[in-house]
Amino acid sequence: MTLSTFGLFLATHILGALGGAGAYALGVPLAWMIGSLVVTAIITLSGFPTTTRRVCRNGGVLVLLTGIGLTFTPSAGETTIRLLPLILIAAVATLLIGALASLLLARLGRIDRATAFFCSVPGGPAEMSVLGARQGAELAPIAISQLLRIVCIVLVIPPTLTVLGMRGDFTTSFPDLGFHPLGLVVTLGVSLAASLALVKLKVNSAFLIGPLGVGILLGFTEAGLSTVPRWMMMGSQVFMGVFLGAQFTPSVMRRMRRFLPVAIGNVFLVTGGCALLGTLIHFFDEESVPTMILATAPGSVTEMSITAQALGFNVPVVTAFHVIRILLVIILVTPAFNVLRAAGVIAPADPELLRNTKAAE
């Protein structure tokens, strides 16, 4: 990284942090992520240069998910086991909601159904793009749809719950481990090692599964090494917000301008379906409606878990729903796609696209 590039990198993140601080001062929920995201996106769309690195995003995810995983006390583990049948049902239902919404997206967005399928099923932008490319789907609509889904949910769900006065009182669910520098270094070091090991094994979402798994293990066994300090959690939100905001370049937005309104509508359709699902699941268990809406929302585990933390809802329940959904989506999305293609719902993949994908691999 040259000196000028480093200066631009530093300026981008300082401006993002200022946006987060402004949002925090205004009482915006998930302030540090939303504020940095909005400011960075505005600067990028205005044509001014911004820069960030995926390593910063991965570092932010590692810190946040390790901290969230530490909330998994033994009692939280018992709650997760009790809810496991509902979690499995919710995960499969979310996959079906995305598949159904993709049919409308294909018609209104004028894209093929294979591409629409991987645009609509909730997953990471990278994971869905890779899995979609293997089936001959187009990469650009998938990446922008998955990114828009995360951004829209971050910008809509936390403020909506706040405006409606929905807050919880689960502050007691967070163990008071205390801050111990050496313990924190060991904790984050183990999280990093686990993530890198999963990357080497070519596991999808390695930087989600690794730190979350380590945090859950340490929390469940009550190892008590250290808590993740608040300032580090806030800084990690800034890294994630800046990374998301920097993706909205003018060239990308121009290329996708006709598809964007339809993609945003698809996000709200899938989100509405998942909110209805969460409300229905609420009637089969004692968890509150807002907790179940966050648990079934088609957002990332990181954003929804820290939203639950900020608003005082049951973080372990929200996290458990999302972790198992991520694992099931990664496992089931390709078989589900093949079933729909065999049933004639999705047309066979474009041979030319498949040849190009295999050549690239």
Side-chain angles (χ1 to χ4, degrees):
M1 184 185 293
T2 64
L3 186 60
S4 60
T5 303
F6 177 75
L8 179 59
F9 172 88
L10 191 61
T12 299
H13 287 80
I14 289 174
L15 291 172
L18 290 174
Y24 179 79
L26 293 172
V28 175
L30 210 60
W32 295 94
M33 182 180 295
I34 290 177
S36 57
L37 189 162
V38 170
V39 167
T40 307
I42 290 173
I43 294 172
T44 306
L45 284 171
S46 299
F48 294 100
T50 57
T51 187
T52 184
R53 293 288 186 272
R54 180 169 289 275
V55 67
C56 295
R57 179 262 185 190
N58 287 343
V61 170
L62 185 143
V63 170
L64 285 169
L65 289 186
T66 301
I68 289 166
L70 291 173
T71 66
F72 261 76
T73 59
S75 62
E78 293 173 4
T79 300
T80 300
I81 293 173
R82 175 175 58 81
L83 291 173
L84 189 58
L86 292 177
I87 294 174
L88 294 175
I89 290 171
V92 174
T94 301
L95 183 61
L96 293 175
I97 289 170
L100 289 173
S102 72
L103 301 178
L104 185 60
L105 178 64
R107 178 180 294 273
L108 297 180
R110 298 181 180 180
I111 58 175
D112 63 274
R113 288 187 176 180
T115 300
F117 177 83
F118 288 98
C119 286
S120 299
V121 172
E127 289 81 4
M128 290 300 103
S129 296
V130 169
L131 294 173
R134 291 174 182 169
Q135 304 299 332
E138 297 182 63
L139 291 181
I142 297 173
I144 195 67
S145 293
Q146 295 291 344
L147 178 62
L148 278 173
R149 175 180 56 79
I150 296 171
V151 171
C152 288
I153 288 173
V154 167
L155 294 177
V156 171
I157 289 185
T160 299
L161 293 177
T162 301
V163 169
L164 294 176
M166 295 182 176
R167 298 192 69 90
D169 56 359
F170 276 86
T171 53
T172 55
S173 66
F174 298 94
D176 184 16
L177 305 177
F179 172 57
H180 307 288
L182 181 58
L184 179 63
V185 170
V186 171
T187 298
L188 296 181
V190 174
S191 289
L192 178 60
S195 301
L196 294 176
L198 292 175
V199 169
K200 191 169 184 179
L201 293 172
K202 298 182 179 180
V203 174
N204 289 322
S205 303
F207 271 86
L208 293 176
I209 298 171
L212 190 58
V214 169
I216 289 173
L217 179 62
L218 293 176
F220 188 75
T221 57
E222 298 183 303
L225 295 177
S226 175
T227 189
V228 177
R230 182 178 175 81
W231 62 265
M232 189 174 285
M233 297 286 279
M234 293 188 299
S236 299
Q237 287 189 46
V238 171
F239 277 129
M240 291 189 62
V242 169
F243 183 83
L244 289 173
Q247 310 308 308
F248 289 88
T249 61
S251 60
V252 169
M253 303 306 282
R254 281 194 300 269
R255 190 167 67 248
M256 303 295 293
R257 64 184 183 276
R258 294 182 180 177
F259 177 70
L260 284 175
V262 181
I264 292 173
N266 181 66
V267 168
F268 281 97
L269 178 62
V270 173
T271 303
C274 291
L276 177 60
L277 172 65
T279 303
L280 292 174
I281 290 177
H282 154 75
F283 291 109
F284 293 90
D285 195 77
E286 61 190 22
E287 296 297 334
S288 67
V289 171
T291 295
M292 299 317 302
I293 288 176
L294 288 174
T296 57
S300 166
V301 57
T302 312
E303 291 81 16
M304 294 301 96
S305 295
I306 58 179
T307 297
Q309 180 183 8
L311 297 181
F313 296 119
N314 197 329
V315 176
V317 168
V318 172
T319 304
F321 268 80
H322 282 281
V323 169
I324 294 176
R325 192 203 75 205
I326 288 171
L327 294 175
L328 285 181
V329 165
I330 291 172
I331 294 169
L332 297 177
V333 67
T334 299
F337 175 86
N338 290 333
V339 168
L340 292 175
R341 186 168 57 186
V345 176
I346 296 176
D350 186 332
E352 183 64 26
L353 282 174
L354 276 179
R355 280 195 295 271
N356 292 339
T357 300
K358 290 178 180 178
E361 292 181 344

